[in-house]
Every structure is written in C-alpha cells, then in structure tokens.
Amino acid sequence: MDMLAKKERRGRDVKGLLKRNWVLIATIASVLLGIGLGVLVREYAGLSRLDKQYFGFPGEILMRMLKLVILPLIISSMITGVAALDSEVSGKIGLYAVIYYFSTTIIAVILGIILVTTIKPGVSQTADNIDRAGTTPNVTTVDTLLDLVRNMFPENLVQACFQQYKTQRREIQPSVSNTSTSTVTTSFPPFTTIMTTVAQNLTKDYTIVGMYSDGINVLGLIVFCVAFGLVIGKMGERGRILLEFFDALNEATMRLVQIIMCYMPVGILFLIAAKIIEVEDWDIFRKMGLYMVTVLSGLAIHAIVFLPLIYFIFVRKNPYTFALGMAQALVTALMISSSSATLPVTFRCAEENNRVDKRITRFVLPVGATINMDGTALYEAVAAIFIAQLNGLDLDVGQIVTISITATVASIGAAGVPNAGLVTMVIVLTAVGLPASDVTLIVAVDWLIDRFRTMINVLGDAFGAGIVQKLSKRELERMDLTSDVDVANPFALETTLDDEECEKKSYVNGGFTVDKTDAISFTETSQF
C-alpha cells in the first residue's frame, strides 16, 4: 500500500510539475525544433528572400503581440507601484535600485576589460581580414547624451508612446560674403601676368535639427509615471479612483500576457528558424570566433558567478533557485532579443514563481529594463578594445578608464530595443579616438551576441528586484502594519459596509450615492 501511495504521489508531483511549467518546457522544445527546422530548410529548400520573410511570419506575430502590451504594462505598473508606496519608501527603493544597477554595470565593464586584455582576440588578425557589414550610425557623444535628457521630458505624452526625439547636426552653408577671395597680381614684364587666388580659411559651423524616430520613449514615460504616481499617492482618497483604474489595467494586461504565452512556443520556433535561414555568411563566425568567445565567456561569468554572489550576500537564499524561476523570461529574452518586449514575461516570473512583492516589481523592473544593461556594457567594453587591437593600437590606462566610464554611461542610454548597442558603441569608440566606421566589423555577429547580452540584462533586473525587496523588507512590513494593506494585493482598497446598511446605496447620475448613516471605512494605500 505504501508503495502504491508513493507511486501515486510521485505521479501527481510529475503531473503538477508539467502543468506548472508546460510553457517553459514547450518553449525550450520549440527552440531546439526551430534550430533543426532552420538547418533543414536552409540546406534543402532554397527559399527566395520573399519566401524567407513569409516563413518568419508566425515569429513576427509573436514580436508584435509582446510589443503590444509593453505600453499599458509600463504605465500601469509604474503608476500603481509608486502610488502604493509613500515618498520616503519609494525614494529608498529607487536609491537601492540605482546603486545596484551602477554597481553591477561597473563590475561587468571591469570583467570585460580584464578578459579582452588577457585573451587579446584582435591581436592575431587585422581589420582587413574581416568583412564589414551594415552602415555606421551617424551619432555624436554630446548630442546623444543631451537627447537622453530631452527624452526624459517629452513635450507630448501621446507622441512619447510611439516616437523618440532625436537631434542631428546639419552643416550651415557659408554665405557669399564670407567666401570672399583676395586676388594677387604678379607681373613679369613685358609678356606675362599671372593671377593667383588665395581663399580665406573657413571654419565649419553647424546647427542642431530636431526630429522624431519610431519607437516608444520608455525613459520619458517612466519619468512621467513616477511623478504621476507620487502625485496620486499624495492625493489620498481623491486619487483612489485613478489608482484602482491603473491597478485594474495592470491586472487585465497581465491576463493578456498569459494568453500570449500560450502562443509563445509556436512564435519562437519560427522566429529562430527564420533567423538561421536568413544568415548568409556563416564563415564570419569562424573569423570572429575568439571575439565571440571573449564576450560570451564574460557574460557567462557575470551571470553564473557575480550576479548570484551579490544576490546571496544580501538575500542569503539560493540564487540559482531564483534564476530557475526566471527561466521562462530568460529563454524569451534569448529568442526575441529585447528586454522591453520580455518585460511582461519577467513580471509574471518574478511575481508568480519567485514571490517578489508586487510593490517592488512594478517599480524596479520597468526601470531596470530601461537603464540596467550589464550585458551591453560588458559587450561595448570588449568590442572597443577588440577594435583597437585590430588596428594595432595600444591603449594606455587613461583610455581604458575612459572606455569603462563611457561604456557604463552609454549602456544606461541604450534603449531596451534590439541593436541599440551599435549606436552607443559608436559613442565609446569616438571617446578614445578609434574610427567609428570600424563598428561595421562586428555587425555581422551582433545579432547573436545581442540575444545573450539581453538575457543577462533580464537576469540582472530580476536579481535586482529580489535584492531590493530584501533591503526594503522593514519598510514594506511597516507599511503593511500602518495601512493594513493586503500583502497578496497591496493595491486593493478595502471598503467595509455594514451588512444591514448595504441596501441604502442607490445609483444616481452615473455613480453610487451612499446614505450618510452607512458605516464605511476606507484603508488608503499611501500614508503621508
């Protein structure tokens, strides 16, 4: 009987495990099937460029569905997250998060510099041996950093939902009066007169022209939502309706995410297969092999050693169990190469699998997806020194320090969209006087490295949420005691009605009116 009971229990455990993790298991299986399908189609089908685009259509639909929920998710989670905390607590949480982001980014940059200077992937070859791909982004360091600040304060909130502000330098053409020339006449009598024209030296002048490029201005929306959430929290009872609206919007969006995740294995299968079919030159991976090994080993060390170590020091729990709970988000990030598009899955894994407080995830994760770019910072540091090695340049200590600082700052400015690292890469190269055009040397393999560094970015965001929750535990418990907020749903505002008096409510002019004799008590989420 005991044996039968044990078998039955084991069977139930296996069924429960499969039921809880079927999306993750199906996603991993779809990755393997996608790789196999891509290799088979590439070898035997011989598709045209148009056919390749049709083949990747199911994967494109998945990307569009994930991007669809980014906007309502960021807005609702940030506003409810900030409004559910008082200004002192939200300030502490924000400070903890920013210190964590900067610390891990600096560690990633230092790790990348140590690896690339030790392995020296660019010493054994020259830039002429590597095929260039793509074009060099036309950016300048000062203008890019100023655009970052400009985008923090969008002039049109609706436009910020689908466009980012961007400036370009345009050369001012000199006027005719400024291009005067002096004429010198030299005579050699009696036959010849020679006319010599001497042009004056001209200094080029530029003007800044503003324009908009497609893409969600995530940074501007986050700044607005933080400010808006703080204001709603301070409004107390009058802000309750707005808070409940955004909380309901967040809940509805997360339910949409659950539906999207059912389609995810199909979309990922075609997404990875289509990418394998699209790659034309696989020989580039042999030429860039040592460079890729340097970057990927750096990302692996950062993800397996440093991030778990930091988590263990502060939280005193098994970091690998926590990382396993984020497996679905990590696989999604690896496949779709966008930390912002992975955000819906990151929320779900952190809150449901790892039991991170919603007040923390809603505040920390959207900010992390925007500014915490450990993988990108490491990649930019390695790529800059790799390009210097290709050009036979020995960088001094000052230039390496410049690379580390610039890579840290530039990674914060990199939006959570695919290939944003190439734009910030140009900033790092120009900071130390390296040719910006050499960024085209690493474009051919960037699509693959981009996926792994996005996965590390998402893992860093998740560990950050766990660490910030531990550091803020005392403040959160104090809030729970003072406001009696339901821990499972800290945004639910309790309304207690006397059973006998419930009938006294009546619906008038589109709202409920309540008799003054009704016993009603409200529990506010924010105490100021």
Side-chain angles (χ1 to χ4, degrees):
M1 290 294 291
D2 290 341
M3 290 293 292
L4 288 173
K6 283 183 180 178
K7 281 185 178 180
E8 190 176 341
R9 251 196 326 269
R10 197 179 296 121
R12 280 202 302 268
D13 291 343
V14 171
K15 284 181 182 177
L17 182 69
L18 292 174
K19 189 175 181 180
R20 287 193 306 271
N21 299 297
W22 74 268
V23 176
L24 175 61
I25 295 166
T27 303
I28 293 172
S30 68
V31 172
L32 300 175
L33 287 172
I35 293 171
L37 181 63
V39 172
L40 286 173
V41 173
R42 182 183 177 87
E43 289 296 322
Y44 300 108
L47 299 179
S48 65
R49 188 176 293 273
L50 185 62
D51 292 336
K52 290 176 184 177
Q53 290 180 330
Y54 288 147
F55 184 83
F57 179 73
E60 181 188 348
I61 294 299
L62 174 65
M63 288 295 295
R64 296 175 75 91
M65 289 165 71
L66 287 171
K67 289 178 180 178
L68 173 70
V69 294
I70 292 174
L71 190 61
L73 190 64
I74 288 177
I75 291 174
S76 61
S77 64
M78 284 299 297
I79 290 176
T80 52
V82 175
L85 305 166
D86 61 41
S87 55
E88 183 183 351
V89 175
S90 60
K92 280 187 178 180
I93 289 174
L95 183 63
Y96 292 148
V98 169
I99 291 172
Y100 166 80
Y101 294 153
F102 270 102
S103 303
T104 54
T105 303
I106 291 168
I107 289 170
V109 169
I110 294 171
L111 173 63
I113 290 173
I114 291 171
L115 284 174
V116 74
T117 51
T118 305
I119 299 173
K120 293 182 170 59
V123 172
S124 59
Q125 53 188 328
T126 60
D128 297 332
N129 298 331
I130 302 172
D131 298 329
R132 296 175 183 268
T135 56
T136 307
N138 184 22
V139 294
T140 52
T141 306
V142 176
D143 293 341
T144 305
L145 294 177
L146 290 178
D147 285 346
L148 184 66
V149 179
R150 289 187 184 104
N151 279 314
M152 290 171 67
F153 305 97
E155 58 187 8
N156 188 323
L157 192 62
V158 176
Q159 192 175 26
C161 296
F162 56 89
Q163 282 188 327
Q164 300 177 16
Y165 190 76
K166 182 182 177 184
T167 57
Q168 279 190 347
R169 290 186 181 183
R170 185 172 294 172
E171 185 181 345
I172 299 175
Q173 296 298 326
S175 59
V176 177
S177 58
N178 293 335
T179 57
S180 58
T181 57
S182 58
T183 303
V184 179
T185 305
T186 307
S187 299
F188 296 92
F191 303 109
T192 317
T193 301
I194 298 175
M195 304 288 289
T196 308
T197 303
V198 182
Q200 293 180 353
N201 290 330
L202 296 174
T203 303
K204 288 185 178 180
D205 197 6
Y206 296 89
T207 183
I208 292 176
V209 180
M211 61 187 68
Y212 285 92
S213 59
D214 291 336
I216 301 174
N217 180 5
V218 181
L219 200 58
L221 291 176
I222 284 177
V223 170
F224 172 79
C225 290
V226 168
F228 196 65
L230 286 171
V231 170
I232 289 177
K234 286 182 179 290
M235 288 172 67
E237 180 59 28
R238 286 182 298 167
R240 185 173 66 90
I241 297 173
L242 270 175
L243 183 57
E244 287 181 335
F245 165 75
F246 284 113
D247 188 39
L249 177 62
N250 186 271
E251 181 66 28
T253 308
M254 290 308 294
R255 293 191 183 189
L256 277 176
V257 171
Q258 290 180 357
I259 297 170
I260 293 170
M261 287 181 74
C262 295
Y263 174 74
M264 188 171 288
V266 178
I268 283 180
L269 188 149
F270 286 94
L271 203 64
I272 194 71
K275 192 63 191 178
I276 289 173
I277 295 168
E278 283 175 15
V279 178
E280 295 177 358
D281 183 18
W282 286 97
D283 190 51
I284 190 69
F285 291 99
R286 182 184 58 78
K287 293 178 181 177
M288 300 283 283
L290 203 55
Y291 162 72
M292 292 178 65
V293 166
T294 306
V295 177
L296 295 177
S297 59
L299 294 175
I301 293 169
H302 190 66
I304 296 171
V305 178
F306 288 111
L307 290 178
L309 183 62
I310 294 169
Y311 179 84
F312 179 76
I313 289 170
F314 286 99
V315 184
R316 297 292 176 178
K317 289 183 180 178
N318 189 339
Y320 301 106
T321 305
F322 186 92
L324 193 63
M326 299 302 300
Q328 179 68 50
L330 298 179
V331 173
T332 305
L334 181 65
M335 292 301 104
I336 66 177
S337 185
S338 170
S339 49
S340 291
T342 312
L343 198 54
V345 189
T346 311
F347 268 109
R348 192 165 181 266
C349 291
E351 292 173 2
E352 294 184 11
N353 298 345
N354 290 331
R355 299 289 186 267
V356 181
D357 195 307
K358 286 186 177 182
R359 289 170 289 185
I360 299 296
T361 57
R362 294 184 180 191
F363 186 82
V364 172
L365 290 180
V367 178
T370 309
I371 68 171
N372 184 34
M373 301 284 179
D374 297 351
T376 304
L378 186 147
Y379 148 81
E380 286 175 352
V382 170
I385 298 175
F386 169 70
I387 288 171
Q389 291 172 353
L390 285 177
N391 288 284
L393 300 174
D394 290 326
L395 299 176
D396 56 32
V397 177
Q399 288 175 309
I400 290 176
V401 171
T402 303
I403 286 175
S404 61
I405 295 171
T406 314
T408 304
V409 176
S411 67
I412 294 170
V417 295
N419 299 324
L422 284 178
V423 177
T424 52
M425 189 69 244
V426 175
I427 296 173
V428 179
L429 291 177
T430 53
V432 288
L434 293 169
S437 59
D438 281 358
V439 76
T440 55
L441 296 169
I442 58 175
V443 171
V445 296
D446 184 71
W447 67 270
L448 183 61
I449 294 175
D450 189 28
R451 296 169 186 275
F452 286 97
R453 67 175 187 254
T454 303
M455 185 169 68
I456 305 308
N457 293 342
V458 171
L459 182 63
D461 297 343
F463 275 131
I467 291 169
V468 170
Q469 177 181 243
K470 178 66 175 180
L471 295 175
S472 310
K473 187 177 180 182
R474 191 173 299 170
E475 286 85 357
L476 294 173
E477 287 176 351
R478 193 183 305 128
M479 283 187 62
D480 292 339
L481 289 172
T482 55
S483 60
D484 294 325
V485 177
D486 180 11
V487 176
N489 183 11
F491 308 97
L493 297 168
E494 297 176 357
T495 304
T496 308
L497 288 174
D498 191 317
D499 292 337
E500 296 177 0
E501 303 293 339
C502 282
E503 300 300 325
K504 295 185 180 180
K505 286 201 301 181
S506 59
Y507 190 74
V508 179
N509 293 332
F512 283 100
T513 62
V514 186
D515 192 303
K516 295 293 182 184
T517 59
D518 284 351
I520 302 175
S521 65
F522 292 100
T523 301
E524 295 178 10
T525 56
S526 301
Q527 302 291 333
F528 294 97

